[in-house]
Amino acid sequence: MMTIDLRSDTVTLPTPSMREAIYRAELGDDVFGEDPTTNQLEEMAAERMGKEAALLVASGTMGNLVCTLTHCRRGEEVILGDRSHTFLYEAGGMSTLGGIHPHTISNQPDGTMRLEDIEGAIRGDNVHFPQTRLICLENTHNRCSGSALTSEYIDSAAALAKEHGLSVHLDGARIFNAAVALGIDVKELTANVDSLSFCLSKGLSAPVGSVVCGSSEFIAEARRARKVLGGGMRQAGVIAAAGIKALEEMVDRLAEDHENARRLAEGIASITGLLIEPARVQTNIVYFELDEGRMTPKALVTELNKKEVKLLSVGVRRLRAVTHYGISTEDIDLTVKALGEVMKAA
Ligand code: TLP
């Protein structure tokens, strides 16, 4: 029996066509700018995102950090959501390595930050304050049910930033999930941000890599920041080759993952002792809670493991399941069945 691994879309393995492309990739030294496959991926990514240039980096974490270091100097401040991945799960990179001050404001359940909260957080010209430089958005918003931020919201946050002379960075780790869920071209979500980073290695199934996009001038500086972080890779084409296939072949199928996530959410809603609002599930991330007084999420995870289903426990009562390439409708039904059995026995 195959394990149904719903811990994350990061567990996806490269597709056969990616493996073939990796094998056949034309290679060179990318630190000299001579890896043709990396150059091709970067051009393709920039074009897809409607930006002048792009840069391949090792991970989403590195992408966000490279961008933050490029936008801000030591002692400057970034406004970001209190449930953002950058604030919660990137080891405090901006302060550890950049001396950059994170200023968190509340994320709303739909992943946005209220514009009035952002405006209220922007520092005035006063010697006591760090200087605000950057606003970070996240789309889809991982901790906020994988919700998709609309282009209208992003554009209004960007207009506010512009009014105050600030830049906007978008953590677009799952930006294609947002575009597919909203039924729009991804460019509509990126048009007014100054930089963005998106992941090849999540729902798009490539084994490694993220891409940072922005103006040519920004990317030239970002290249230096990547080098500082030890991220200048040599025959990076072995990574880029899979990334090209990810962009060519894996974007449209994300709709399947969204359908499976909705099916899972509805299944969970039918199980006594599990709490979920299925309407919140717009993309491939499903959060749900255990009713009070029931087993702990860790115990639930252990029991499910015995039935070859893997989920992530992410809080006192909260769990997460993420759908992805390789997970079928049948797997979802088996997961709902396993959850029902475990809850019945609890
Ligand atoms: N998210 C991972 C874990 O770190 C939680 C996951 O399984 O969801 N931005 C967002 C919105 C992310 O969800 C992630 C990874 C990243 C950035 C970082 O990407 P990597 O793991 O490539 O450094």
Side-chain angles (χ1 to χ4, degrees):
M1 190 174 163
M2 285 275 285
T3 300
I4 301 168
D5 192 346
L6 299 171
R7 287 172 302 166
S8 181
D9 46 9
T10 58
V11 304
T12 43
L13 297 176
T15 63
S17 91
M18 287 178 188
R19 290 175 192 264
E20 180 73 21
I22 292 167
Y23 177 68
R24 300 202 180 278
E26 252 190 86
L27 303 173
D29 188 328
D30 182 51
V31 177
F32 287 116
E34 292 171 4
D35 186 281
T37 311
T38 303
N39 292 340
Q40 189 191 336
L41 169 68
E42 290 176 347
E43 270 168 40
M44 208 172 154
E47 199 279 317
R48 282 291 271 273
M49 296 296 166
K51 299 292 173 198
E52 285 172 1
L55 180 70
L56 175 65
V57 294
S59 65
T61 302
M62 185 184 268
N64 288 330
L65 183 56
V66 157
C67 289
T68 312
L69 292 174
T70 305
H71 285 293
C72 305
R73 297 285 159 260
R74 295 186 76 78
E76 292 181 340
E77 189 169 74
V78 176
I79 296 173
L80 76 176
D82 61 352
R83 286 192 261 172
S84 63
H85 191 277
T86 299
F87 179 63
L88 292 175
Y89 297 120
E90 295 176 16
M94 73 170 78
S95 51
T96 314
L97 301 179
I100 299 159
H101 196 233
H103 185 163
T104 54
I105 58 178
S106 294
N107 274 123
Q108 301 306 308
D110 65 359
T112 60
M113 296 176 278
R114 286 198 192 104
L115 294 184
E116 57 266 36
D117 291 348
I118 298 179
E119 191 152 30
I122 298 171
R123 307 285 190 160
D125 183 15
N126 181 319
V127 75
H128 293 87
F129 299 152
Q131 271 193 292
T132 312
R133 187 64 63 209
L134 182 68
I135 298 169
C136 286
L137 305 174
E138 183 175 317
N139 201 12
T140 63
H141 200 291
N142 182 343
R143 287 289 296 204
C144 295
S145 313
S147 51
L149 269 51
T150 62
S151 55
E152 291 76 14
Y153 173 76
I154 295 175
D155 293 350
S156 42
L160 176 64
K162 206 165 183 189
E163 216 178 282
H164 291 270
L166 307 176
S167 298
V168 176
H169 169 67
L170 176 66
D171 175 355
R174 297 185 180 85
I175 190 74
F176 285 110
N177 293 85
V180 167
L182 296 166
I184 57 175
D185 188 313
V186 72
K187 284 192 189 80
E188 291 187 42
L189 297 170
T190 58
N192 289 310
V193 302
D194 299 283
S195 64
L196 71 119
S197 156
F198 72 92
C199 292
L200 299 165
S201 63
K202 298 198 165 55
L204 302 187
S205 300
V208 188
S210 287
V211 185
V212 164
C213 303
S215 67
S216 304
E217 198 187 347
F218 180 86
I219 293 299
E221 273 306 302
R223 201 172 282 280
R224 188 184 301 275
R226 183 186 70 170
K227 191 75 182 136
V228 169
L229 298 175
M233 297 180 279
R234 300 296 176 174
Q235 284 72 41
V238 292
I239 295 172
I244 291 168
K245 292 292 172 198
L247 288 178
E248 284 174 347
E249 296 170 4
M250 302 301 283
V251 172
D252 295 340
R253 65 152 305 285
L254 293 172
E256 258 177 63
D257 300 341
H258 300 174
E259 271 167 40
N260 280 335
R262 265 192 300 273
R263 187 179 182 95
L264 178 61
E266 276 153 24
I268 290 170
S270 71
I271 298 172
T272 309
L274 299 181
L275 307 172
I276 188 166
E277 284 180 69
R280 286 228 170 274
V281 178
Q282 283 179 282
T283 61
N284 68 330
I285 301 184
V286 180
Y287 284 98
F288 63 98
E289 293 200 356
L290 277 156
D291 213 351
E292 215 171 343
R294 294 273 178 167
M295 65 203 316
T296 64
K298 282 200 175 125
L300 178 57
V301 164
T302 307
E303 288 309 308
L304 280 174
N305 280 350
K306 292 180 194 163
K307 295 178 180 289
E308 301 292 333
V309 175
K310 289 189 177 180
L311 302 186
L312 212 57
S313 137
V314 290
V316 190
R317 296 220 300 267
R318 218 168 176 222
L319 292 114
R320 187 184 81 162
V322 184
T323 56
H324 52 77
Y325 172 69
I327 296 295
S328 64
T329 305
E330 198 193 3
D331 293 330
I332 297 300
D333 295 343
L334 287 170
T335 301
V336 172
K337 185 167 169 270
L339 271 167
E341 285 166 4
V342 172
M343 291 306 295
K344 213 168 197 176

